[in-house]
Amino acid sequence: MYSDGCMCKSEVLGLNEVDRQYQIPGFLSDENPGHERFREAADLFGLFEYLKQQGFGVFSIRESLQAVGECRDGTLQGFHLSDDEAWQAVEYMASLGVGVVEVPSYPANPYGEVSNERLLDRARQAGLPIEFAAHARCVEEDICAALRVGFKRFHLYIGASRIKQATMRLGSLELAERAFASIRFAREHGASSVRISTEDAFRTTLEDYQAFFTRLQELLRAHDLIVDGIGIPDTVGISTIDEVGDRIAILRRVGIQFSFLECHIHNDIGSADRMYVDTLLLCRRLGIRMLPDFSILGIGERNGTIGLSSLIEAIYRRLIQLYPRKMPAIRAALRDQLGFLPDGELFVNRYRDMDAFFYKIMSRTGFVFDRSPFSANTEFDGSGVHADTTRRSFDLALHDGEHGQAAVDIGNSAYSGALPPYDMPLRMPALACFGCGKANVRYWREREGLQLRSYSEIVASVKDCGEDDKETRLRRELSRTGQGFAVSSAERDRETELLGGAISNDVLVLPTQLNESEADELAARIIRYESVRYNGITHHEAMRVVRMFYAG
């Protein structure tokens, strides 16, 4: 390994693979090797072998769980995998040779922790050759939750942009120190692999980016520690390959050691496919091991990271564009290169079966899916983190003296700057979703003009959730919201179940007093818990949770 942490080609691919990567595919045998398109096609085709050698990348269940769409009944709905569905997804990944599956650490959700533990135990018992990574904030609570479940690989993240610095009231150096503390904590508790990622790398200035990693490397060196991986995420989807290179150059300049880069590129403007391929080409030429992040069919948050099939087909499409008359030969070469799986099935057939499985799940849950970067999905941000960042960016712009559309544009730029501007009040963070956060609750209770209840009323409302008479409790809750009893028996059963003792003491613990911020956090926590418990709840059910704390 070089002093800057980058691996040479022989270390990445193996000595025998160095020669193999320069073998020319058959469809180029009669083409002029002096043409630029010949060299580009040879490099592109070599990516198939490169991806196989790297275990293709990181399948992020976490990314997929944060997807949000609009249901057929007009309500907003998150996307969720049951235990069996998550297991089948992991089985597909393992059969295809994917090396890492990433799932979220659930410190605020005991149900999620149990689900993670079951998934890891099931994989161990089945002997799956796959590694699980906990996606965790640089917060001790997240790391401890992952350790309890049994994770050994940690994908840590922390924001380093000016927005994050302002909202966390920490500078680049202090954020680096917090990241280091989390890395050291994970190592001290037996972590076998640690990746650190600045979650908003392309909204972080190069000066701040360099300051962050310079300080982090100083601390790592002083304590004789290293990280296994560096994440360079583009959560907006507007980075260029030059900007990726700028950040790789900084990592080399700082001298931080790493064994792999992991890139996470959203598809807000529809360019994620090209950026993933360009980044793979760049890292392969540099001798760097690069792990692309991919999700279920490319869904996640607004427009998520691409799917595995999309990544493979993006390379294939580039080859077809270079040699359109050789489509059959290129298709045959791709099938041969990806080859057969141990059970004798073609790789390309297995991943298409996997996609069909994912489409079936989404169809059953009513998830409306559209790959277009300008689809309605971009308007409904299901992640409380993203909605909160957008709103904070907007507030910071106002604080700095910006007004009107200029402030709106700055707010939108936090996560959707590449999309056509739209007024901030139209950005409606989904309330009923698995990624609900404080910002989602705040938006909807402000929209409805709700005011915080008195502490005694909140206590009484929460106490109702523990009473044995569910029908009485339901009627009281409906009368408080002014909705009366004009509901069907099926809907009433559903609402009764939602409000009926499902909120455990672990999820809802009332402090001695509550302000709006604390009430928003508790409401969001209950909504997340109920969404996972029931594989999704409706917007109206989520609002009833909010009205446990607010009245209008």
Side-chain angles (χ1 to χ4, degrees), residues 8 51 86 134 138 187 274 286 301 345 415 433 436 539:
C8 67
L51 284 168
C138 286
R187 289 293 194 197
R274 169 164 286 277
L286 292 173
E301 297 165 306
E345 186 178 4
Y415 273 102
C433 67
C436 180
H539 178 75

Side-chain angles (χ1 to χ4, degrees), residues 134-441:
H135 184 258
R137 298 169 298 172
C138 286
V139 175
E140 190 170 304
E141 183 185 17
D142 283 26
I143 299 171
C144 287
L147 289 167
R148 285 194 298 269
V149 169
F151 286 98
K152 294 296 183 182
R153 181 176 182 131
F154 290 81
H155 287 185
L156 304 176
Y157 67 95
I158 191 168
S161 67
R162 294 293 171 88
I163 296 169
K164 294 296 184 182
Q165 292 178 43
T167 56
M168 295 177 70
R169 296 181 175 85
L170 297 173
S172 297
L173 303 185
E174 294 167 304
L175 290 167
E177 290 164 4
R178 178 173 290 193
F180 168 76
S182 296
I183 293 167
R184 182 169 62 175
F185 184 81
R187 289 293 194 197
E188 288 174 346
H189 288 80
S192 60
S193 178
V194 177
R195 180 221 71 184
I196 184 65
S197 171
T198 50
E199 63 170 295
D200 46 6
F202 293 92
R203 287 185 287 114
T204 302
T205 66
L206 292 178
E207 292 78 13
D208 286 343
Y209 194 81
Q210 180 162 329
F212 176 92
F213 279 104
T214 297
R215 180 57 178 155
L216 179 59
Q217 173 58 9
E218 290 173 353
L219 292 167
L220 291 170
R221 184 186 293 114
H223 292 81
D224 196 26
L225 290 174
I226 61 170
V227 291
D228 298 276
I230 300 289
I232 308 182
D234 181 11
T235 51
V236 191
I238 60 173
S239 62
T240 65
I241 194 62
D242 286 346
E243 290 173 323
V244 173
D246 285 337
R247 282 148 184 82
I248 292 176
I250 286 173
L251 296 175
R252 291 188 152 191
R253 189 180 308 137
V254 166
I256 191 167
Q257 296 186 39
F258 57 90
S259 298
F260 66 89
L261 287 178
E262 182 191 349
C263 289
H264 171 112
I265 303 168
H266 276 269
N267 204 30
D268 288 34
I269 59 172
S271 62
D273 289 7
R274 169 164 286 277
M275 274 303 301
Y276 269 115
V277 175
D278 286 346
T279 305
L280 280 167
L281 286 170
L282 175 63
C283 289
R284 181 167 174 265
R285 289 163 185 159
L286 292 173
I288 298 173
R289 184 184 181 205
M290 187 280 214
L291 301 181
D293 231 1
F294 58 92
S295 66
I296 292 175
L297 295 174
I299 64 175
E301 297 165 306
R302 303 154 321 283
N303 281 269
T305 61
I306 62 177
L308 177 60
S309 56
S310 299
L311 177 59
I312 291 171
E313 289 160 16
I315 303 170
Y316 170 68
R317 286 195 301 272
R318 292 267 286 266
L319 289 167
I320 295 299
Q321 289 170 352
L322 292 170
Y323 291 97
R325 295 182 181 275
K326 294 198 169 187
M327 183 184 294
I330 294 172
R331 183 185 301 116
L334 182 153
R335 291 167 67 94
D336 290 343
Q337 185 75 350
L338 292 173
F340 290 88
L341 298 170
D343 62 2
E345 186 178 4
L346 278 170
F347 180 98
V348 292
N349 288 348
R350 176 67 56 80
Y351 85 65
R352 285 170 183 165
D353 290 345
M354 175 187 67
D355 281 0
F357 162 70
F358 289 143
Y359 277 114
K360 183 178 180 180
I361 293 173
M362 289 194 290
S363 174
R364 177 180 55 75
T365 59
F367 185 86
V368 178
F369 176 59
D370 186 349
R371 286 182 184 269
S372 166
F374 303 105
S375 69
N377 290 350
T378 63
E379 305 293 327
F380 298 98
D381 192 325
S383 168
V385 173
H386 285 202
D388 185 51
T389 299
T390 301
R391 181 58 181 261
R392 287 174 184 266
S393 178
F394 176 64
D395 290 342
L396 283 170
L398 295 177
H399 182 268
D400 291 341
E402 300 290 346
H403 301 284
Q405 191 61 46
V408 170
D409 289 344
I410 291 172
N412 286 335
S413 71
Y415 273 102
S416 300
L419 296 176
Y422 49 86
D423 292 338
M424 190 63 60
L426 296 180
R427 186 179 181 82
M428 300 195 301
L431 183 64
C433 67
F434 306 96
C436 180
K438 291 168 61 176
N440 308 61
V441 174

Side-chain angles (χ1 to χ4, degrees), residues 2-57:
Y2 298 140
S3 61
D4 61 6
C6 298
M7 304 178 76
C8 67
K9 286 182 179 177
S10 61
E11 290 175 305
V12 174
L13 299 174
L15 288 173
N16 293 332
E17 298 298 332
V18 175
D19 293 332
R20 186 175 177 181
Q21 70 173 314
Y22 292 109
Q23 289 184 0
I24 304 304
F27 66 87
L28 289 177
S29 60
D30 59 344
E31 295 293 335
N32 184 342
H35 287 170
E36 177 61 32
R37 68 172 181 169
F38 180 99
R39 293 191 292 274
E40 184 178 352
D43 281 349
L44 284 166
F45 195 79
L47 289 180
F48 294 123
E49 186 64 27
Y50 177 81
L51 284 168
K52 288 169 65 177
Q53 292 292 329
Q54 315 309 326
F56 291 98

Side-chain angles (χ1 to χ4, degrees), residues 444-462:
W444 285 101
R445 50 102 166 159
E446 287 181 349
R447 175 187 170 98
E448 298 295 319
L450 304 179
Q451 302 297 321
L452 187 67
R453 293 176 183 268
S454 69
Y455 184 77
S456 60
E457 287 181 305
I458 294 174
V459 170
S461 179
V462 172

